[in-house]
């Protein structure tokens, strides 16, 4: 079992790298704006589905960008299949990863509550 988990981990990391490239340089969807980072990829054990967590910064409209990614998933999936040579390419499910924003919010709260003398 751990051997399979290691393989899944390698596949997820490879997908993360390739998806970053595809979204960053090859995707030509005008609705997809801002800096998009693929933060994490989770693949199901049967490799049928991949949940792609993306962080979107400086976007005109985050909802529109996420919808644009979902609309472009066919193109992104075919590019992924071309670059990563596995028997089947999973269906892509895009999810917003707001952990970076969450972290920034926590930082600002901590800065506000820290006593001035400790700064």
């Amino acid at each position: 079992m751990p051997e399979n988990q290691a393989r899944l981990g390698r596949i997820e990391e490879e997908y993360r790298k390739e998806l970053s490239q595809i979204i960053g340089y090859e995707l030509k969807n005008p609705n997809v704006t801002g800096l998009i980072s693929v933060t994490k990829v989770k693949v199901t054990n049967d490799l049928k589905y991949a949940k792609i967590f993306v962080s979107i910064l400086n976007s005109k409209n985050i909802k529109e960008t996420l919808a644009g990614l979902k609309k472009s998933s066919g193109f992104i999936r075919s590019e992924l299949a071309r670059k990563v040579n596995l028997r089947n390419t999973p269906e892509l499910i895009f999810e917003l990863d707001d952990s970076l924003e969450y972290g920034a919010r926590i930082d600002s709260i901590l800065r506000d509550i820290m006593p001035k003398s400790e700064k």
Side-chain angles (χ1 to χ4, degrees):
M1 194 63 182
E3 189 179 303
N4 193 31
Q5 290 305 99
R7 177 173 181 257
L8 271 181
R10 287 194 306 271
I11 290 171
E12 289 169 349
E13 184 56 29
E14 186 64 26
Y15 280 166
R16 193 189 64 73
K17 279 193 288 203
E18 292 301 339
L19 286 164
S20 293
Q21 287 289 322
I22 294 166
I23 292 169
Y25 301 105
E26 296 169 34
L27 188 61
K28 303 284 186 269
N29 185 329
N31 293 334
V32 178
T33 59
L35 177 68
I36 300 167
S37 332
V38 178
T39 54
K40 189 176 177 186
V41 175
K42 286 303 292 166
V43 181
T44 55
N45 288 333
D46 59 2
L47 300 178
K48 293 266 190 274
Y49 297 94
K51 202 175 262 193
I52 291 84
F53 294 93
V54 291
S55 161
I56 303 169
L57 300 171
N58 304 334
S59 174
K60 290 184 198 125
N61 184 335
I62 289 180
K63 278 193 176 72
E64 209 173 81
T65 297
L66 202 55
L69 282 173
K70 288 176 182 170
K71 238 184 217 106
S72 303
S73 67
F75 166 78
I76 296 170
R77 187 178 179 202
S78 62
E79 286 299 301
L80 188 62
R82 222 169 37 78
K83 292 172 184 253
V84 181
N85 191 11
L86 286 174
R87 193 174 301 128
N88 51 7
T89 304
E91 198 159 309
L92 307 177
I93 302 156
F94 288 96
E95 295 233 342
L96 189 60
D97 180 2
D98 49 12
S99 60
L100 290 175
E101 291 165 39
Y102 181 75
R105 200 164 53 240
I106 297 288
D107 275 352
S108 81
I109 291 169
L110 285 173
R111 264 194 302 277
D112 290 348
I113 62 173
M114 290 287 279
K116 302 281 187 249
S117 61
E118 289 183 17
K119 285 186 180 175

